[in-house]
Structures are given as structure tokens and as C-alpha cells.
Amino acid sequence: MAAKGDLLYAWTTDSGLAEKAECGGAVTALLRHALETKMVDAVVAVTKGYDIYDAIPVAITDPKELDKTAGSLHCGTLLLATFIKNYLDGAKKMKLGVVVKGCDLMGLLEEAKRNDVDMKNIITIGVNCGGSVNPGVARKMIKAKYGVDPDTVHKEEIDKGQFIIEYEGGHKGISVDELEEEGFGRRTNCRRCLYKVPRQADLACGNWGVIGDKAGKATFVEVCSEKGADLLTKAVAAKKLAVEAANPKGIEIRGKVEGAMLKLGAKWRKHDFTGLRDNLWETINKETSRCVKCYSCIEKCPVCTATAFKGRDESLMVRRGKLPSDPMFHLRRFAHISDSCINCGQCEELCPMEIPLALFSHAIRVEADNAFEPKLGKSVYTN
Ligand code: FAD
Ligand code: SF4
Ligand code: SF4
Ligand code: SF4
């Protein structure tokens, strides 16, 4: 019987699934069990589309289809929270099992505070996250740094600080530090991210700390809630999942890797924010001057509620029939979202003019956090 606080190695008992999965298939096995036993009506996860640069969010209701979601896609920069809010009625009418990275989870929690999502209807299976790479940058990086045609790459992974690709004719790894020094590697918001082990999820799963004969064949699961303990216990009882206590040395290693990643995130924050500190307004003014007012940054932001696209004729930020918008748009937007920006990077990722929007709102939020109470979700989050 699993309990909150347990630290376990877990893997699927289905050898077919184990083949397709990233590290033993515990995540997919848990979700499949939740769907088969009707604990949830649908599972929200990610599947590979055309190639490894094409990560697609899916809502699956047939357990037999879940295998196609197994595996980790690092060149997918989706936010599942907005997918659930916009396309699944915020889980208000159905129960969902959802795979979440730290930013997906923070997005859901912020949306729940705004009554856009009902967390009572969601079981969250968290995955540790070292970061993700913009698909366009990944293609350029693979060509420039690896000397490989990106279309021939069929697998990628981030392991022991390296971004590793498998392609027709070989495999190659380059250190993420080296890639980032040259402007490639993880998205800039991911470098600053401190949500490494998503302990606000019901279960937090990852490969850090899996050692010995289970390395690569099992996932390290931290049980973070009663709901998570219940799902795990039931999946083990139904023989869909096998578990054993995590190796004490593995627990120590996982702690050290997490600590090193948090330090790296703090280093990037210092690097990015220091550059802005003395000239914040001037920099924002200059960078946002090229905005073409497409409003994609407010459409996709999980914490922004004041869009003009929700059936309202008027909002503080966007007025119908007024293009280009009021030049106060950016200031209003920052004032509106910067106290709760989760640094998911969606605004920046989708901005056609490549304005570093997440950098600005994240910098403002962190500065506000240092000055005011309450901090972003202080009761539940540590970052
Ligand atoms: P599987 O059974 O293979 O299931 C994996 C699940 O992840 C599937 O449901 C799939 O839909 C979902 N998924 C795939 N890509 C994405 C995505 N881009 N966004 C959201 N969900 C996705 N673990 C660590 O310990 N350290 C890390 O640094 C680390 N970084 C990661 C970065 C990313 C972008 C992702 C997606 C995962 C990362 N993980 C990390 C977790 C690890 O890769 C495995 O997902 C985890 O160990 C579970 O393995 P599994 O075999 O049980 O999962
Ligand atoms: Fe992972 Fe954080 Fe980047 Fe989200 S913002 S993909 S949790 S590193
Ligand atoms: Fe994410 Fe940008 Fe919104 Fe912040 S402002 S929560 S980075 S979309
Ligand atoms: Fe302007 Fe970029 Fe926002 Fe579009 S996404 S409104 S171009 S800042």
C-alpha cells in the first residue's frame, strides 16, 4: 500500500509498453489503469506527430490508444494547461488524468485560482523537467552543431547534461552548456526555471536517481498526495505496475542533481535579470516597439483573463476596431499578469516579432515577489 512521501522505483508489467516508453513506462501504465478503471474519463498527454519536432497534445478516451503517448519529447514546447482550459472546459465536466511538467502544473493551478479549471477533477502525473528546446532552434542546432540533417533524426534525449540525437547512421551528444553558450539549447525561460521536481502534482516521476539494474528501465516516483498514493496502490494491486523501494544511494543522487539544477536556474536568473536591472523600462520600450499587435501573447497566457477573444467587445487591453492598439497595451499587460507570471515562455515562444516577453514578465514577477506579500501561490509553491 503506497503512502504520501514514498520514494519508489516503478515500471510497467507490459513488455510492449516498456519498449516504447522513456524509462520503464510507469507514467503510461498509471494513466492507462486510471482510464481502464474509469477513475478518469480521458487522459491528456503528448504524442509524436510528423517527426520529433512535432509534439501534439491529445485527449485520449480509449486505453488501447495510450501507448502512442509513451516517451519524452524535449523539442515540444506546449503548455497543457491552456489546452485543458480552452478545449476541455477546464475539466469542469469530465475527470482527467494529465501528464504535467512543472510549468503545465503551475499553469493549471493558476487557472484553478481564476475558476477556469477544476482541479478536483484532475489527477496529475508530474514529470521532472530539465527543460525543453524550441523545435525551430532544435533543427538549426542539429544542422550547425551536430553537422546532421535534422530530418534524419529519429530520437533525441537529454542525459547527463548532454543533448543526444540518434539519426540514420549514428548518434551524437553535445553538452547542453556548450550549446547554450552558442545561443542554442534549452529555451531561455527553461534555463531560469526552478520547477524541477513537480511535488505539487499527485505523483512526481523522473529518471534522476534510478541506478543499478533498474537504470533506464524504471522511473523514480515520489508520492506527493493521497490521490497519487491511491492510483499507484490500485495499479500495483491490478498487476499493471511493479514497484520497489528506491535505492538509498539513488535518493541521494537525485537530491544532488535536483540541487545542481536549481543552482543552475538561479545562475541563469542572475545572468538574465542583471542585464535588465538598470534599464528595464528603456529595454521594454525598445523591444516592444516592434509589436505588430497580433495578441497571441494574451491568447495563450495561462494567467491572462482579459482577452478580447472571450466574447467581450471591450477589454482594458484590446479595443475592437482600434488597430494598432493603444501604446499602453504592453504596460497594461505587464501590470495585469506580472504578479502571477509562471515563466512558461508561451508568450515569447509565440510572439512573431521575437520580443523577449517572458523575460520581462518573469523579471517583474520575481522583483515583486521580493518586495510584496503574498508571493505567487505562496501557500503551495516554493518558487
Ligand atoms: P512514459 O510512460 O514514457 O510516459 C511519458 C509521458 O510524458 C507520456 O505521457 C508523454 O505524453 C509525456 N510527454 C512527452 N513529452 C512531453 C512534453 N513535452 N510535455 C508534457 N508531457 C510530455 N526526468 C528527470 O528525472 N530529469 C529531467 O531532467 C527530465 N526532463 C524531462 C523533460 C521533458 C520535456 C520531459 C517530457 C520529461 C523529462 N523527464 C525528466 C521525465 C522523464 O523523461 C520520463 O518522462 C519519466 O521518467 C517517466 O518515464 P516513463 O517511462 O514512466 O514515461
Ligand atoms: Fe520544463 Fe520549466 Fe521549461 Fe516548463 S518552463 S518546460 S517545467 S524547464
Ligand atoms: Fe507564461 Fe508569458 Fe503568461 Fe508569463 S506572461 S505566464 S511566461 S505566457
Ligand atoms: Fe505584440 Fe508579440 Fe504580443 Fe503579438 S505576441 S501582440 S507581436 S508582443
Side-chain angles (χ1 to χ4, degrees), residues 297 300-303 333 337 340-348 358 361:
C297 53
K300 292 292 185 291
C301 174
V303 302
R333 185 177 160 269
I337 43 92
S340 51
C341 166
I342 60 161
N343 184 38
C344 65
Q346 292 291 300
C347 49
E348 190 166 318
S361 46

Side-chain angles (χ1 to χ4, degrees), residues 288 290-298 329-330 333 347 350-355 357:
T288 58
R290 60 179 184 273
C291 166
V292 293
K293 282 85 184 178
C294 70
Y295 303 133
S296 152
C297 53
I298 54 177
F329 167 65
H330 292 285
R333 185 177 160 269
C347 49
L350 299 166
C351 175
M353 299 312 290
E354 300 188 355
I355 300 170
L357 295 165

Side-chain angles (χ1 to χ4, degrees), residues 101-294:
K101 306 178 297 298
C103 54
D104 296 315
L105 180 65
M106 296 292 282
L108 283 173
L109 295 174
E110 285 302 311
E111 287 171 351
K113 285 188 200 163
R114 290 153 180 76
N115 290 325
D116 284 333
V117 160
D118 187 351
M119 288 304 284
K120 284 197 303 303
N121 284 339
I122 300 183
I123 297 179
T124 48
I125 313 286
V127 284
N128 298 353
C129 189
S132 53
V133 183
N134 171 293
V137 172
R139 284 180 156 276
K140 283 187 202 142
M141 171 174 92
I142 287 167
K143 204 167 176 192
K145 290 287 297 175
Y146 294 71
V148 170
D149 175 356
D151 286 330
T152 64
V153 177
H154 53 81
K155 191 168 164 31
E156 51 73 24
E157 61 175 327
I158 299 181
D159 190 28
K160 298 189 181 66
Q162 289 205 324
F163 184 82
I164 302 164
I165 55 167
E166 273 179 33
Y167 51 96
E168 285 162 25
H171 64 95
K172 198 169 182 177
I174 299 182
S175 105
V176 173
D177 288 346
E178 182 187 330
L179 295 168
E180 287 175 2
E181 267 165 33
E182 297 185 31
F184 296 116
R186 297 168 303 158
R187 296 184 294 159
T188 51
N189 65 301
C190 290
R191 298 176 198 174
R192 296 191 301 272
C193 175
L194 301 183
Y195 313 127
K196 296 292 126 188
V197 177
R199 294 192 175 85
Q200 291 87 15
D202 295 306
L203 297 166
C205 307
N207 52 22
W208 290 336
V210 184
I211 57 170
D213 62 341
K214 290 288 180 303
K217 296 184 189 132
T219 275
F220 191 119
V221 182
E222 179 167 348
V223 182
C224 304
S225 75
E226 305 301 337
K227 225 195 241 184
D230 179 56
L231 170 59
L232 196 120
T233 303
K234 286 176 175 158
V236 172
K239 301 199 174 357
K240 299 294 167 71
L241 195 72
V243 290
E244 66 182 34
N247 183 317
K249 186 79 192 152
I251 297 173
E252 195 187 321
I253 291 171
R254 176 178 180 259
K256 281 192 181 151
V257 180
E258 184 188 5
M261 290 301 289
L262 292 176
K263 265 197 193 151
L264 186 63
K267 196 183 100 185
W268 274 110
R269 283 184 183 205
K270 196 168 171 205
H271 171 272
D272 290 1
F273 296 164
T274 307
L276 270 185
R277 198 177 44 200
D278 297 333
N279 279 321
L280 182 60
W281 168 238
E282 224 170 86
T283 313
I284 289 179
N285 204 9
K286 176 170 166 274
E287 293 282 343
T288 58
S289 66
R290 60 179 184 273
C291 166
V292 293
K293 282 85 184 178
C294 70

